[in-house]
Amino acid sequence: MENMKQALIEAGKNMLGRGLTVETWGNISLRDPQTGYIYLTPSGMNYSLLTEEDVVVFDAAGHHMEGGRRPTIEKDMHLGILANRPDVNAVIHTHPVYSQVFAVLGMPIPAIIDESAQVFGGDVPVAKYGLPGSRELADHVIQALGRENNACLMANHGAVCLGATMEMAFKCCAVLEMTAQIYQMCLQIGTPNLIEAEQIAVMKSLAQNYFNHK
Ligand SMILES: [Zn+2]
């Protein structure tokens, strides 16, 4: 389906335009819920130059279906996440500055503001380090995301954000980076007040049952 390819290309430009990565780093996948096909960004290409021919397509079993380019080096991570999460259709891997500060420190980011309580429903965990493109890294990220988390940090590397749609995955990216920036600033001045777990649970439920309801 050509509109899936266009949606992926738009997402690449969006990721770069929003400052969620630099140059050709980061990568994105989008699943067509009807066919199960997974559309991946190619390896090492400028996002502003992508065309539909550059998009690499795999089926749910990981067989190459379309596209002459090499897929992103993090292909196994994307396919693994999507296989583990039937509730997710869009995966965005970014290298945003403030989130990376905590990824380098190995510090989970708590839900210190209402937006992050609603979107993440708790701490954003840190996946253990693995070399870029390695099976080890893919496994660490899949484990950190589990069945529930919409985002995780990748130690000394970046972040992964998930969504039922590309729009929701971008919302996740925006809230993660905003929370990381506020948390970093708070830690420089004093000790942040945390939102109580019970209140976080109420906001998460409200977001799932009210705000995202379509
Ligand atoms: Zn990366």
Side-chain angles (χ1 to χ4, degrees):
M1 279 173 68
E2 299 312 310
N3 60 354
M4 298 295 291
K5 292 181 181 176
Q6 276 304 330
L8 190 77
I9 292 166
E10 281 306 308
K13 290 177 183 163
N14 212 345
M15 176 168 71
L16 202 57
R18 291 183 182 208
L20 292 167
T21 192
V22 293
E23 301 293 331
T24 64
W25 278 283
N27 32 72
I28 305 176
S29 60
L30 180 62
R31 169 161 56 197
D32 181 342
Q34 298 196 318
T35 61
Y37 281 15
I38 294 162
Y39 296 73
L40 282 167
T41 47
S43 178
M45 281 194 71
N46 185 325
Y47 290 105
S48 63
L49 301 177
L50 290 187
T51 67
E52 290 184 9
E53 289 74 48
D54 299 319
V55 174
V56 194
V57 187
F58 288 82
D59 70 6
H63 300 119
H64 179 265
M65 304 303 286
E66 274 184 65
R69 300 273 179 195
R70 272 189 310 166
T72 165
I73 190 174
E74 305 297 359
K75 172 185 72 103
D76 288 349
M77 182 180 83
H78 285 268
L79 297 187
I81 293 168
L82 288 165
N84 197 42
R85 293 291 295 269
D87 58 318
V88 166
N89 292 308
V91 179
I92 308 178
H93 162 48
T94 58
H95 292 183
V97 173
Y98 287 95
S99 301
Q100 291 235 63
V101 169
F102 293 97
V104 170
L105 291 167
M107 288 172 63
I109 301 176
I112 49 164
I113 54 174
D114 286 356
E115 291 92 328
S116 50
Q118 289 171 19
V119 172
F120 305 122
D123 290 5
V124 174
V126 187
K128 284 190 268 181
Y129 187 79
L131 285 170
S134 64
R135 185 66 241 179
E136 190 186 21
L137 177 62
D139 289 343
H140 290 331
V141 169
I142 292 163
Q143 188 183 18
L145 290 168
R147 293 279 180 167
E148 291 272 324
N149 293 322
N150 290 330
C152 74
L153 303 176
M154 300 157 75
N156 304 79
H157 184 154
V160 177
C161 287
L162 313 180
T165 63
M166 190 59 80
E167 190 187 352
M168 286 169 78
F170 269 110
K171 181 177 173 182
C172 191
C173 290
V175 171
L176 175 62
E177 183 62 356
M178 181 174 77
T179 308
Q181 188 170 1
I182 292 168
Y183 192 42
Q184 191 266 354
M185 289 171 160
C186 288
L187 292 174
Q188 287 186 322
I189 300 171
T191 307
N193 293 317
L194 300 178
I195 302 174
E196 288 176 20
E198 263 178 39
Q199 292 166 329
I200 290 174
V202 169
M203 279 188 275
K204 187 184 182 189
S205 159
L206 192 68
Q208 283 174 341
N209 300 311
Y210 185 74
F211 296 127
N212 292 333
H213 190 69
K214 287 183 180 169

